[in-house]
Amino acid sequence: MKAIFKSVTAFAPATIANVSCGFDVLGLAVDSPGDRVSVTLGVKPGLRIAKITGDEGRLPIDPDKNTATVAVKGFLAHLGISVGLDFTIEKGLPLGSGMGSSAASAAAALVAVNHLLGSPLDRKALVPFALQAEAMACGAAHADNVAPALMGGLVLIKSYNPLDLITIPTPDLLFCTMVYPHIEVKTQDSRSLLKTHLTLADAITQWGNLGGLIAGFMKEDYDLIGRSLVDVVAEPIRSMLIPGFEQVKAAAMDAGVLGCGISGSGPTIFALSKGKPIVEKAGKAMSTIFDDLDLACSIYTSPVNSDGARVVHEE
Amino acid sequence: MKAIFKSVTAFAPATIANVSCGFDVLGLAVDSPGDRVSVTLGVKPGLRIAKITGDEGRLPIDPDKNTATVAVKGFLAHLGISVGLDFTIEKGLPLGSGMGSSAASAAAALVAVNHLLGSPLDRKALVPFALQAEAMACGAAHADNVAPALMGGLVLIKSYNPLDLITIPTPDLLFCTMVYPHIEVKTQDSRSLLKTHLTLADAITQWGNLGGLIAGFMKEDYDLIGRSLVDVVAEPIRSMLIPGFEQVKAAAMDAGVLGCGISGSGPTIFALSKGKPIVEKAGKAMSTIFDDLDLACSIYTSPVNSDGARVVHEE
């Protein structure tokens, strides 16, 4: 196998893990924001990170510790290729925000290197390498960010062993508001709070909603999507780590969103809407609550993304 | 409101509650077997059961204790109608088999009386009255038999409060084998064995499969349907009440079915197949295991039914 390009840049978007009712089994990609990874053929063998921007110096430049290069290392080992590559990572996603920041860097890096090599693998086949990187970064190999970051749209992780990923078509008018309050929630802390057991009654409620959300997406039934965005498992516990969560959610619902919940392990709060006007209105209403609490926040609005990471430059 | 017909007969089919991964939230209707209920305008007001056949004298003839008449009583009260009706119930479904016998009688009775009165309500609107009858007969108002018996196809009970029923389109080539070993498992006994709590890991497995089953039905992806027919919640416990369960399941899988599990609370074992030839083969293979255990059984094969209970005679 030979490189087709000298240099490729790819973009991978933010992702909403869980999507309320799909704890550990659902992830949804949006169009923006996201991370950009540029990869250039180097003269010396091995992977090097030349530069990382947008991370305030917090991410490791060591290629054995950064999700972008760890993912690519596994990918190259799988292909049996030894090649020299220089990486530049532009973080558009805040770290520890619950928007799939580590997954986006891994996805963008994989898509860039795969394209540089003439696309030997399809998107789904890249997921296991991004999973390895997630396991290194987060201590557990969850696919609910990396799968949608690579494949786009709503992805159901039907099972992990074997890895069984199902893409669910997304309705055209689905838009997303994400509001990220500037506090940090570590995935591992947020996960350790969760109970190891749940009542059968809560589990039944959750799988009723999960079924409703999948059916709602496939039937393009926006009202059903809204009724299904309910989480009785993680949200009641994780929301305690987010100041003002209930008021922010109420403000989003008042603004006319279909539903609202915690993106991944938080602290970002997401809301889905039918049509573009509501996402802007919801973003303002949600951020006003954080303003009242003297908590800085960033607002993002975006269509749902159906293609995942994309190549933005090649030469 | 006035009666349009003097006499109507309706048929309601067997139903498979849970469908492996959808404990308490999914039910699937087949075409046959089923129950027939005939209703005739009487001269005296009130509901009377003239005759029940096929139940070996086990069902109550008291209209306050039979699911058919209890359901109709609620329906007439809702409409504010006082009318005299005579019922004949032909049980085609064995009692306590896990094939939705009590639900089928209630569904057939409701559809017959609704038709006799000029169809004031649609199928979905009839479900609450059948639920009242289930609550009387089984001690709990589960909709996973009555909803598919009335509405047909695969029905998701997204929530009970409020009652939110979602019909999922069924693939054309989906067939069902049901093998009923002649032992009785009471729903209440079978339910009391279940644990009140489950591990988060098992719950995640279950909702991954539930999502996969819904997506499989909607995408007409038979292989995905098969991979999703997995139950880690009820089957490991309830299967202990069914002699030879594991061997019967293995025989069905060897015969080429997509998946196999317990119908409702059992003891009937169901298997879904793509295409008609496999259902017959599976039925034989499954019943051979029961034969070897000297356990009599009945075999039923049928397409999946997409319309639910149907009127078969009017005059």
mmCIF file of all heavy atoms in Angstrom, chain A residues 23 25 156 158 164 166-167 196-200 206-212 218-219 224 227-228, chain B residues 23 25 156 158 164 166-167 196-200 206-212 218-219 224 227-228:
data_model
loop_
_atom_site.group_PDB
_atom_site.id
_atom_site.type_symbol
_atom_site.label_atom_id
_atom_site.label_comp_id
_atom_site.label_asym_id
_atom_site.label_seq_id
_atom_site.Cartn_x
_atom_site.Cartn_y
_atom_site.Cartn_z
ATOM 1 N N PHE A 23 -28.254 5.123 27.244
ATOM 2 C CA PHE A 23 -27.010 5.066 28.019
ATOM 3 C C PHE A 23 -26.085 3.969 27.499
ATOM 4 O O PHE A 23 -26.456 2.803 27.463
ATOM 5 C CB PHE A 23 -27.326 4.826 29.500
ATOM 6 C CG PHE A 23 -26.091 4.795 30.367
ATOM 7 C CD1 PHE A 23 -25.422 5.970 30.688
ATOM 8 C CD2 PHE A 23 -25.582 3.595 30.834
ATOM 9 C CE1 PHE A 23 -24.268 5.947 31.462
ATOM 10 C CE2 PHE A 23 -24.429 3.559 31.613
ATOM 11 C CZ PHE A 23 -23.771 4.734 31.931
ATOM 12 N N VAL A 25 -25.319 3.053 24.626
ATOM 13 C CA VAL A 25 -25.633 2.392 23.353
ATOM 14 C C VAL A 25 -25.962 3.355 22.208
ATOM 15 O O VAL A 25 -26.061 2.920 21.067
ATOM 16 C CB VAL A 25 -26.790 1.353 23.482
ATOM 17 C CG1 VAL A 25 -26.475 0.322 24.545
ATOM 18 C CG2 VAL A 25 -28.130 2.003 23.722
ATOM 19 N N LEU A 156 -26.449 3.201 16.829
ATOM 20 C CA LEU A 156 -26.775 2.296 17.937
ATOM 21 C C LEU A 156 -25.643 1.297 18.088
ATOM 22 O O LEU A 156 -25.269 0.632 17.122
ATOM 23 C CB LEU A 156 -28.077 1.542 17.631
ATOM 24 C CG LEU A 156 -28.444 0.392 18.587
ATOM 25 C CD1 LEU A 156 -28.906 0.918 19.944
ATOM 26 C CD2 LEU A 156 -29.532 -0.497 17.974
ATOM 27 N N LYS A 158 -25.286 -1.877 19.196
ATOM 28 C CA LYS A 158 -26.158 -2.994 19.592
ATOM 29 C C LYS A 158 -25.439 -3.916 20.561
ATOM 30 O O LYS A 158 -26.024 -4.442 21.505
ATOM 31 C CB LYS A 158 -26.628 -3.769 18.360
ATOM 32 C CG LYS A 158 -27.865 -4.618 18.643
ATOM 33 C CD LYS A 158 -28.095 -5.688 17.614
ATOM 34 C CE LYS A 158 -27.314 -6.928 17.870
ATOM 35 N NZ LYS A 158 -27.632 -7.690 19.079
ATOM 36 N N ASP A 164 -21.131 -4.390 17.214
ATOM 37 C CA ASP A 164 -22.251 -4.430 16.259
ATOM 38 C C ASP A 164 -22.860 -3.023 16.207
ATOM 39 O O ASP A 164 -23.587 -2.622 17.115
ATOM 40 C CB ASP A 164 -23.271 -5.479 16.734
ATOM 41 C CG ASP A 164 -24.287 -5.859 15.665
ATOM 42 O OD1 ASP A 164 -24.324 -5.196 14.607
ATOM 43 O OD2 ASP A 164 -25.051 -6.816 15.897
ATOM 44 N N ILE A 166 -25.145 -0.093 14.399
ATOM 45 C CA ILE A 166 -26.288 0.064 13.499
ATOM 46 C C ILE A 166 -26.517 1.559 13.272
ATOM 47 O O ILE A 166 -26.718 2.308 14.227
ATOM 48 C CB ILE A 166 -27.573 -0.545 14.131
ATOM 49 C CG1 ILE A 166 -27.313 -1.933 14.741
ATOM 50 C CG2 ILE A 166 -28.724 -0.550 13.138
ATOM 51 C CD1 ILE A 166 -26.928 -2.991 13.763
ATOM 52 N N THR A 167 -26.500 1.969 12.008
ATOM 53 C CA THR A 167 -26.793 3.379 11.734
ATOM 54 C C THR A 167 -28.302 3.561 11.583
ATOM 55 O O THR A 167 -28.981 2.779 10.922
ATOM 56 C CB THR A 167 -26.103 3.862 10.437
ATOM 57 O OG1 THR A 167 -26.382 2.930 9.399
ATOM 58 C CG2 THR A 167 -24.605 3.938 10.612
ATOM 59 N N THR A 196 -24.677 0.508 40.262
ATOM 60 C CA THR A 196 -24.346 -0.688 39.476
ATOM 61 C C THR A 196 -25.598 -1.495 39.158
ATOM 62 O O THR A 196 -25.571 -2.362 38.300
ATOM 63 C CB THR A 196 -23.362 -1.598 40.235
ATOM 64 O OG1 THR A 196 -23.957 -1.917 41.501
ATOM 65 C CG2 THR A 196 -22.026 -0.905 40.453
ATOM 66 N N HIS A 197 -26.688 -1.229 39.896
ATOM 67 C CA HIS A 197 -27.947 -1.932 39.655
ATOM 68 C C HIS A 197 -29.056 -0.911 39.454
ATOM 69 O O HIS A 197 -28.968 0.211 39.949
ATOM 70 C CB HIS A 197 -28.298 -2.836 40.832
ATOM 71 C CG HIS A 197 -27.449 -4.063 40.902
ATOM 72 N ND1 HIS A 197 -26.109 -4.019 41.214
ATOM 73 C CD2 HIS A 197 -27.749 -5.372 40.673
ATOM 74 C CE1 HIS A 197 -25.612 -5.252 41.181
ATOM 75 N NE2 HIS A 197 -26.580 -6.091 40.855
ATOM 76 N N LEU A 198 -30.092 -1.319 38.750
ATOM 77 C CA LEU A 198 -31.266 -0.466 38.661
ATOM 78 C C LEU A 198 -32.525 -1.321 38.807
ATOM 79 O O LEU A 198 -32.460 -2.544 38.685
ATOM 80 C CB LEU A 198 -31.282 0.364 37.373
ATOM 81 C CG LEU A 198 -31.473 -0.299 36.028
ATOM 82 C CD1 LEU A 198 -31.809 0.774 34.996
ATOM 83 C CD2 LEU A 198 -30.211 -1.002 35.587
ATOM 84 N N THR A 199 -33.622 -0.651 39.120
ATOM 85 C CA THR A 199 -34.849 -1.415 39.288
ATOM 86 C C THR A 199 -35.331 -1.881 37.919
ATOM 87 O O THR A 199 -35.112 -1.209 36.904
ATOM 88 C CB THR A 199 -35.968 -0.581 39.940
ATOM 89 O OG1 THR A 199 -36.311 0.478 39.053
ATOM 90 C CG2 THR A 199 -35.528 -0.002 41.278
ATOM 91 N N LEU A 200 -36.002 -3.024 37.922
ATOM 92 C CA LEU A 200 -36.586 -3.531 36.682
ATOM 93 C C LEU A 200 -37.546 -2.488 36.103
ATOM 94 O O LEU A 200 -37.588 -2.281 34.887
ATOM 95 C CB LEU A 200 -37.303 -4.862 36.972
ATOM 96 C CG LEU A 200 -37.881 -5.610 35.782
ATOM 97 C CD1 LEU A 200 -36.835 -5.909 34.726
ATOM 98 C CD2 LEU A 200 -38.552 -6.912 36.249
ATOM 99 N N GLN A 206 -36.731 2.807 30.532
ATOM 100 C CA GLN A 206 -35.627 3.223 29.667
ATOM 101 C C GLN A 206 -35.698 2.517 28.313
ATOM 102 O O GLN A 206 -35.528 3.137 27.272
ATOM 103 C CB GLN A 206 -34.289 2.912 30.365
ATOM 104 C CG GLN A 206 -33.077 3.569 29.725
ATOM 105 C CD GLN A 206 -32.794 4.971 30.270
ATOM 106 O OE1 GLN A 206 -33.626 5.575 30.969
ATOM 107 N NE2 GLN A 206 -31.648 5.510 29.953
ATOM 108 N N TRP A 207 -35.982 1.191 28.290
ATOM 109 C CA TRP A 207 -35.985 0.549 26.986
ATOM 110 C C TRP A 207 -37.249 0.867 26.197
ATOM 111 O O TRP A 207 -37.215 0.829 24.970
ATOM 112 C CB TRP A 207 -35.581 -0.918 26.994
ATOM 113 C CG TRP A 207 -36.278 -1.939 27.826
ATOM 114 C CD1 TRP A 207 -37.563 -2.340 27.743
ATOM 115 C CD2 TRP A 207 -35.657 -2.794 28.829
ATOM 116 N NE1 TRP A 207 -37.801 -3.358 28.630
ATOM 117 C CE2 TRP A 207 -36.657 -3.667 29.301
ATOM 118 C CE3 TRP A 207 -34.380 -2.912 29.362
ATOM 119 C CZ2 TRP A 207 -36.405 -4.625 30.289
ATOM 120 C CZ3 TRP A 207 -34.132 -3.869 30.337
ATOM 121 C CH2 TRP A 207 -35.127 -4.700 30.792
ATOM 122 N N GLY A 208 -38.321 1.264 26.874
ATOM 123 C CA GLY A 208 -39.484 1.787 26.145
ATOM 124 C C GLY A 208 -39.116 3.070 25.408
ATOM 125 O O GLY A 208 -39.463 3.271 24.241
ATOM 126 N N ASN A 209 -38.375 3.956 26.104
ATOM 127 C CA ASN A 209 -37.961 5.215 25.478
ATOM 128 C C ASN A 209 -36.925 4.996 24.384
ATOM 129 O O ASN A 209 -36.968 5.662 23.347
ATOM 130 C CB ASN A 209 -37.422 6.175 26.547
ATOM 131 C CG ASN A 209 -38.549 6.760 27.374
ATOM 132 O OD1 ASN A 209 -39.568 7.189 26.840
ATOM 133 N ND2 ASN A 209 -38.402 6.756 28.692
ATOM 134 N N LEU A 210 -35.992 4.075 24.633
ATOM 135 C CA LEU A 210 -34.971 3.775 23.615
ATOM 136 C C LEU A 210 -35.651 3.280 22.331
ATOM 137 O O LEU A 210 -35.323 3.730 21.227
ATOM 138 C CB LEU A 210 -34.021 2.716 24.199
ATOM 139 C CG LEU A 210 -32.750 2.271 23.499
ATOM 140 C CD1 LEU A 210 -33.011 1.243 22.430
ATOM 141 C CD2 LEU A 210 -31.952 3.430 22.935
ATOM 142 N N GLY A 211 -36.599 2.373 22.485
ATOM 143 C CA GLY A 211 -37.346 1.888 21.322
ATOM 144 C C GLY A 211 -38.099 3.015 20.646
ATOM 145 O O GLY A 211 -38.132 3.111 19.411
ATOM 146 N N GLY A 212 -38.682 3.895 21.446
ATOM 147 C CA GLY A 212 -39.422 5.033 20.905
ATOM 148 C C GLY A 212 -38.514 5.980 20.133
ATOM 149 O O GLY A 212 -38.893 6.503 19.080
ATOM 150 N N MET A 218 -36.606 6.821 12.721
ATOM 151 C CA MET A 218 -36.848 6.118 11.460
ATOM 152 C C MET A 218 -38.167 6.523 10.818
ATOM 153 O O MET A 218 -38.308 6.493 9.599
ATOM 154 C CB MET A 218 -36.770 4.611 11.685
ATOM 155 C CG MET A 218 -35.343 4.202 12.094
ATOM 156 S SD MET A 218 -34.985 2.455 11.912
ATOM 157 C CE MET A 218 -34.925 2.273 10.135
ATOM 158 N N LYS A 219 -39.153 6.895 11.647
ATOM 159 C CA LYS A 219 -40.445 7.327 11.100
ATOM 160 C C LYS A 219 -40.460 8.831 10.836
ATOM 161 O O LYS A 219 -41.492 9.352 10.395
ATOM 162 C CB LYS A 219 -41.569 7.021 12.108
ATOM 163 C CG LYS A 219 -41.915 5.563 12.293
ATOM 164 C CD LYS A 219 -42.945 5.404 13.431
ATOM 165 C CE LYS A 219 -43.403 3.962 13.549
ATOM 166 N NZ LYS A 219 -44.865 3.820 13.592
ATOM 167 N N LEU A 224 -42.586 12.015 18.582
ATOM 168 C CA LEU A 224 -42.163 10.773 19.254
ATOM 169 C C LEU A 224 -40.715 10.887 19.728
ATOM 170 O O LEU A 224 -40.366 10.427 20.816
ATOM 171 C CB LEU A 224 -42.340 9.577 18.303
ATOM 172 C CG LEU A 224 -41.860 8.216 18.803
ATOM 173 C CD1 LEU A 224 -42.478 7.843 20.146
ATOM 174 C CD2 LEU A 224 -42.180 7.131 17.758
ATOM 175 N N ARG A 227 -40.877 12.828 22.913
ATOM 176 C CA ARG A 227 -41.431 12.055 24.040
ATOM 177 C C ARG A 227 -40.455 10.989 24.536
ATOM 178 O O ARG A 227 -40.571 10.500 25.656
ATOM 179 C CB ARG A 227 -42.735 11.342 23.617
ATOM 180 C CG ARG A 227 -43.864 12.245 23.210
ATOM 181 C CD ARG A 227 -45.235 11.576 23.333
ATOM 182 N NE ARG A 227 -45.401 10.344 22.590
ATOM 183 C CZ ARG A 227 -45.638 10.241 21.280
ATOM 184 N NH1 ARG A 227 -45.703 11.337 20.534
ATOM 185 N NH2 ARG A 227 -45.824 9.068 20.706
ATOM 186 N N SER A 228 -39.504 10.603 23.666
ATOM 187 C CA SER A 228 -38.580 9.527 24.023
ATOM 188 C C SER A 228 -37.284 10.030 24.650
ATOM 189 O O SER A 228 -36.494 9.225 25.158
ATOM 190 C CB SER A 228 -38.253 8.710 22.769
ATOM 191 O OG SER A 228 -39.440 8.202 22.179
ATOM 192 N N PHE B 23 -38.922 -6.968 27.172
ATOM 193 C CA PHE B 23 -39.717 -7.316 28.355
ATOM 194 C C PHE B 23 -40.670 -6.185 28.745
ATOM 195 O O PHE B 23 -40.244 -5.065 29.027
ATOM 196 C CB PHE B 23 -38.788 -7.648 29.537
ATOM 197 C CG PHE B 23 -39.528 -8.070 30.777
ATOM 198 C CD1 PHE B 23 -40.088 -9.336 30.857
ATOM 199 C CD2 PHE B 23 -39.693 -7.196 31.836
ATOM 200 C CE1 PHE B 23 -40.800 -9.718 31.995
ATOM 201 C CE2 PHE B 23 -40.400 -7.576 32.977
ATOM 202 C CZ PHE B 23 -40.947 -8.837 33.052
ATOM 203 N N VAL B 25 -42.495 -4.321 27.071
ATOM 204 C CA VAL B 25 -42.698 -3.190 26.153
ATOM 205 C C VAL B 25 -42.985 -3.601 24.706
ATOM 206 O O VAL B 25 -43.344 -2.750 23.897
ATOM 207 C CB VAL B 25 -41.520 -2.186 26.162
ATOM 208 C CG1 VAL B 25 -41.241 -1.668 27.566
ATOM 209 C CG2 VAL B 25 -40.262 -2.777 25.553
ATOM 210 N N LEU B 156 -44.816 -1.359 20.172
ATOM 211 C CA LEU B 156 -43.976 -0.922 21.283
ATOM 212 C C LEU B 156 -44.849 -0.162 22.271
ATOM 213 O O LEU B 156 -45.530 0.793 21.885
ATOM 214 C CB LEU B 156 -42.863 0.008 20.767
ATOM 215 C CG LEU B 156 -42.019 0.740 21.827
ATOM 216 C CD1 LEU B 156 -41.082 -0.224 22.540
ATOM 217 C CD2 LEU B 156 -41.218 1.883 21.209
ATOM 218 N N LYS B 158 -44.411 2.296 24.562
ATOM 219 C CA LYS B 158 -43.359 3.240 24.940
ATOM 220 C C LYS B 158 -43.521 3.665 26.390
ATOM 221 O O LYS B 158 -42.547 3.816 27.119
ATOM 222 C CB LYS B 158 -43.381 4.468 24.030
ATOM 223 C CG LYS B 158 -42.060 5.227 24.060
ATOM 224 C CD LYS B 158 -42.170 6.624 23.522
ATOM 225 C CE LYS B 158 -42.657 7.622 24.527
ATOM 226 N NZ LYS B 158 -41.771 7.884 25.675
ATOM 227 N N ASP B 164 -48.765 4.990 25.649
ATOM 228 C CA ASP B 164 -48.163 5.507 24.408
ATOM 229 C C ASP B 164 -47.752 4.295 23.565
ATOM 230 O O ASP B 164 -46.759 3.638 23.856
ATOM 231 C CB ASP B 164 -46.954 6.383 24.773
ATOM 232 C CG ASP B 164 -46.449 7.235 23.605
ATOM 233 O OD1 ASP B 164 -46.907 7.022 22.463
ATOM 234 O OD2 ASP B 164 -45.584 8.089 23.835
ATOM 235 N N ILE B 166 -46.741 2.495 19.987
ATOM 236 C CA ILE B 166 -46.104 2.797 18.708
ATOM 237 C C ILE B 166 -46.121 1.538 17.851
ATOM 238 O O ILE B 166 -45.607 0.493 18.257
ATOM 239 C CB ILE B 166 -44.623 3.218 18.914
ATOM 240 C CG1 ILE B 166 -44.476 4.238 20.056
ATOM 241 C CG2 ILE B 166 -44.014 3.720 17.610
ATOM 242 C CD1 ILE B 166 -45.114 5.572 19.806
ATOM 243 N N THR B 167 -46.727 1.622 16.663
ATOM 244 C CA THR B 167 -46.701 0.460 15.763
ATOM 245 C C THR B 167 -45.429 0.498 14.930
ATOM 246 O O THR B 167 -45.040 1.534 14.392
ATOM 247 C CB THR B 167 -47.924 0.453 14.819
ATOM 248 O OG1 THR B 167 -48.020 1.740 14.216
ATOM 249 C CG2 THR B 167 -49.199 0.171 15.569
ATOM 250 N N THR B 196 -36.227 -8.061 41.155
ATOM 251 C CA THR B 196 -36.752 -6.689 41.107
ATOM 252 C C THR B 196 -35.680 -5.710 40.631
ATOM 253 O O THR B 196 -35.989 -4.583 40.276
ATOM 254 C CB THR B 196 -37.228 -6.229 42.492
ATOM 255 O OG1 THR B 196 -36.134 -6.380 43.410
ATOM 256 C CG2 THR B 196 -38.401 -7.069 42.961
ATOM 257 N N HIS B 197 -34.411 -6.141 40.666
ATOM 258 C CA HIS B 197 -33.317 -5.293 40.203
ATOM 259 C C HIS B 197 -32.486 -6.044 39.169
ATOM 260 O O HIS B 197 -32.453 -7.275 39.172
ATOM 261 C CB HIS B 197 -32.408 -4.890 41.369
ATOM 262 C CG HIS B 197 -33.028 -3.861 42.252
ATOM 263 N ND1 HIS B 197 -34.113 -4.127 43.054
ATOM 264 C CD2 HIS B 197 -32.731 -2.545 42.448
ATOM 265 C CE1 HIS B 197 -34.452 -3.033 43.715
ATOM 266 N NE2 HIS B 197 -33.632 -2.052 43.373
ATOM 267 N N LEU B 198 -31.824 -5.311 38.320
ATOM 268 C CA LEU B 198 -30.877 -5.957 37.408
ATOM 269 C C LEU B 198 -29.614 -5.121 37.325
ATOM 270 O O LEU B 198 -29.609 -3.945 37.709
ATOM 271 C CB LEU B 198 -31.496 -6.224 36.039
ATOM 272 C CG LEU B 198 -31.808 -5.090 35.098
ATOM 273 C CD1 LEU B 198 -32.027 -5.652 33.695
ATOM 274 C CD2 LEU B 198 -33.077 -4.389 35.524
ATOM 275 N N THR B 199 -28.550 -5.753 36.852
ATOM 276 C CA THR B 199 -27.295 -5.002 36.765
ATOM 277 C C THR B 199 -27.403 -3.999 35.617
ATOM 278 O O THR B 199 -28.091 -4.242 34.624
ATOM 279 C CB THR B 199 -26.087 -5.915 36.497
ATOM 280 O OG1 THR B 199 -26.247 -6.520 35.204
ATOM 281 C CG2 THR B 199 -25.967 -7.010 37.555
ATOM 282 N N LEU B 200 -26.682 -2.899 35.772
ATOM 283 C CA LEU B 200 -26.645 -1.899 34.702
ATOM 284 C C LEU B 200 -26.117 -2.545 33.417
ATOM 285 O O LEU B 200 -26.605 -2.270 32.322
ATOM 286 C CB LEU B 200 -25.750 -0.725 35.142
ATOM 287 C CG LEU B 200 -25.662 0.480 34.222
ATOM 288 C CD1 LEU B 200 -27.026 1.061 33.906
ATOM 289 C CD2 LEU B 200 -24.755 1.556 34.829
ATOM 290 N N GLN B 206 -29.679 -5.345 27.183
ATOM 291 C CA GLN B 206 -31.077 -5.485 26.778
ATOM 292 C C GLN B 206 -31.522 -4.315 25.904
ATOM 293 O O GLN B 206 -32.170 -4.503 24.884
ATOM 294 C CB GLN B 206 -31.962 -5.595 28.032
ATOM 295 C CG GLN B 206 -33.379 -6.059 27.770
ATOM 296 C CD GLN B 206 -33.526 -7.587 27.795
ATOM 297 O OE1 GLN B 206 -32.551 -8.342 27.801
ATOM 298 N NE2 GLN B 206 -34.756 -8.041 27.814
ATOM 299 N N TRP B 207 -31.161 -3.074 26.282
ATOM 300 C CA TRP B 207 -31.654 -1.970 25.442
ATOM 301 C C TRP B 207 -30.880 -1.844 24.143
ATOM 302 O O TRP B 207 -31.429 -1.330 23.169
ATOM 303 C CB TRP B 207 -31.880 -0.662 26.186
ATOM 304 C CG TRP B 207 -30.824 0.020 26.974
ATOM 305 C CD1 TRP B 207 -29.657 0.520 26.509
ATOM 306 C CD2 TRP B 207 -30.869 0.353 28.381
ATOM 307 N NE1 TRP B 207 -28.975 1.132 27.542
ATOM 308 C CE2 TRP B 207 -29.687 1.058 28.698
ATOM 309 C CE3 TRP B 207 -31.797 0.143 29.414
ATOM 310 C CZ2 TRP B 207 -29.396 1.532 29.980
ATOM 311 C CZ3 TRP B 207 -31.511 0.615 30.686
ATOM 312 C CH2 TRP B 207 -30.333 1.285 30.961
ATOM 313 N N GLY B 208 -29.670 -2.367 24.096
ATOM 314 C CA GLY B 208 -28.979 -2.471 22.798
ATOM 315 C C GLY B 208 -29.733 -3.404 21.864
ATOM 316 O O GLY B 208 -29.943 -3.108 20.681
ATOM 317 N N ASN B 209 -30.190 -4.531 22.400
ATOM 318 C CA ASN B 209 -30.937 -5.485 21.579
ATOM 319 C C ASN B 209 -32.320 -4.965 21.211
ATOM 320 O O ASN B 209 -32.791 -5.169 20.086
ATOM 321 C CB ASN B 209 -31.051 -6.825 22.315
ATOM 322 C CG ASN B 209 -29.733 -7.583 22.294
ATOM 323 O OD1 ASN B 209 -29.090 -7.686 21.247
ATOM 324 N ND2 ASN B 209 -29.308 -8.099 23.426
ATOM 325 N N LEU B 210 -32.960 -4.296 22.149
ATOM 326 C CA LEU B 210 -34.286 -3.726 21.865
ATOM 327 C C LEU B 210 -34.186 -2.716 20.718
ATOM 328 O O LEU B 210 -34.982 -2.744 19.767
ATOM 329 C CB LEU B 210 -34.803 -3.065 23.159
ATOM 330 C CG LEU B 210 -36.207 -2.515 23.297
ATOM 331 C CD1 LEU B 210 -36.332 -1.123 22.718
ATOM 332 C CD2 LEU B 210 -37.267 -3.403 22.697
ATOM 333 N N GLY B 211 -33.178 -1.866 20.792
ATOM 334 C CA GLY B 211 -32.967 -0.894 19.710
ATOM 335 C C GLY B 211 -32.679 -1.600 18.393
ATOM 336 O O GLY B 211 -33.179 -1.208 17.338
ATOM 337 N N GLY B 212 -31.888 -2.666 18.472
ATOM 338 C CA GLY B 212 -31.561 -3.442 17.272
ATOM 339 C C GLY B 212 -32.795 -4.100 16.671
ATOM 340 O O GLY B 212 -32.954 -4.132 15.431
ATOM 341 N N MET B 218 -37.743 -2.186 11.082
ATOM 342 C CA MET B 218 -37.999 -1.032 10.223
ATOM 343 C C MET B 218 -37.123 -1.030 8.975
ATOM 344 O O MET B 218 -37.521 -0.522 7.933
ATOM 345 C CB MET B 218 -37.837 0.263 11.021
ATOM 346 C CG MET B 218 -38.915 0.367 12.093
ATOM 347 S SD MET B 218 -39.124 2.019 12.780
ATOM 348 C CE MET B 218 -39.903 2.869 11.417
ATOM 349 N N LYS B 219 -35.923 -1.611 9.086
ATOM 350 C CA LYS B 219 -35.024 -1.687 7.930
ATOM 351 C C LYS B 219 -35.251 -2.961 7.125
ATOM 352 O O LYS B 219 -34.547 -3.185 6.135
ATOM 353 C CB LYS B 219 -33.563 -1.699 8.414
ATOM 354 C CG LYS B 219 -33.034 -0.386 8.959
ATOM 355 C CD LYS B 219 -31.603 -0.598 9.520
ATOM 356 C CE LYS B 219 -30.980 0.711 9.959
ATOM 357 N NZ LYS B 219 -29.643 0.951 9.417
ATOM 358 N N LEU B 224 -30.319 -8.673 11.343
ATOM 359 C CA LEU B 224 -30.307 -7.829 12.549
ATOM 360 C C LEU B 224 -31.428 -8.249 13.502
ATOM 361 O O LEU B 224 -31.237 -8.276 14.727
ATOM 362 C CB LEU B 224 -30.439 -6.350 12.153
ATOM 363 C CG LEU B 224 -30.545 -5.328 13.284
ATOM 364 C CD1 LEU B 224 -29.382 -5.430 14.272
ATOM 365 C CD2 LEU B 224 -30.620 -3.906 12.713
ATOM 366 N N ARG B 227 -30.083 -11.236 15.317
ATOM 367 C CA ARG B 227 -29.043 -10.902 16.297
ATOM 368 C C ARG B 227 -29.616 -10.205 17.537
ATOM 369 O O ARG B 227 -28.986 -10.188 18.593
ATOM 370 C CB ARG B 227 -27.988 -9.973 15.668
ATOM 371 C CG ARG B 227 -27.212 -10.553 14.506
ATOM 372 C CD ARG B 227 -25.876 -9.845 14.269
ATOM 373 N NE ARG B 227 -25.932 -8.408 14.065
ATOM 374 C CZ ARG B 227 -26.268 -7.793 12.929
ATOM 375 N NH1 ARG B 227 -26.618 -8.518 11.871
ATOM 376 N NH2 ARG B 227 -26.257 -6.480 12.827
ATOM 377 N N SER B 228 -30.803 -9.603 17.357
ATOM 378 C CA SER B 228 -31.386 -8.837 18.458
ATOM 379 C C SER B 228 -32.333 -9.659 19.323
ATOM 380 O O SER B 228 -32.770 -9.190 20.384
ATOM 381 C CB SER B 228 -32.136 -7.624 17.901
ATOM 382 O OG SER B 228 -31.288 -6.835 17.087
#
